[in-house]
Amino acid sequence: MLPQLLLWKRGVTLERKVKIPMPPDGKLVEGIDVPIMESLERWTEIKLEDGSTLRIRPSIISVIRVPGQYDHEGNPMYALKAATTMVVSEAPDHLKRGYEAPARPQ
């Protein structure tokens, strides 16, 4: 996506058109950048069988509406540009680097 300036006319944002690749073949289509008014980026916590806990949070950078494309319910199709932050908030000792199992008494 090439950065462009948003233009204002009488308090209304004019559409900013961008080219985005669409799955499955990556064909470039024209989309419309939709400004984000509000974003609540909460953490999702995932507990794994190995005893670890991951915390994941998406950060939405931009949202593009693809004109003429709709989901199976007739809603407009959007593409997201996002970054994901992941943190290992808990991990069992035996999975950590440098862990040495306690010696067994003989």
Side-chain angles (χ1 to χ4, degrees):
M1 257 182 331
L2 296 175
Q4 297 177 353
L5 294 176
L6 291 177
L7 301 175
W8 291 82
K9 184 176 182 179
R10 296 183 190 162
V12 177
T13 304
L14 299 178
E15 294 179 344
R16 183 174 79 139
K17 296 183 179 184
V18 294
K19 296 277 187 178
I20 59 167
M22 288 296 288
D25 59 2
K27 178 182 173 186
L28 286 179
V29 298
E30 193 169 88
I32 299 168
D33 185 51
V34 181
I36 299 168
M37 291 179 55
E38 183 178 352
S39 178
L40 301 173
E41 297 167 350
R42 297 187 176 129
W43 288 94
T44 297
E45 195 166 273
I46 301 169
K47 294 185 184 278
L48 304 176
E49 275 188 7
D50 69 4
S52 299
T53 301
L54 307 178
R55 295 188 64 189
I56 300 171
R57 181 181 68 198
S59 295
I60 307 303
I61 298 164
S62 67
V63 178
I64 311 298
R65 186 177 63 247
V66 184
Q69 298 287 324
Y70 303 93
D71 68 12
H72 65 281
E73 295 179 356
N75 298 309
M77 183 176 289
Y78 292 89
L80 301 177
K81 184 176 181 183
T84 303
T85 302
M86 184 192 77
V87 175
V88 178
S89 61
E90 283 184 43
D93 288 339
H94 72 277
L95 294 178
K96 294 180 181 179
R97 179 179 37 207
Y99 173 76
E100 293 183 27
R104 293 186 178 181
Q106 296 196 13

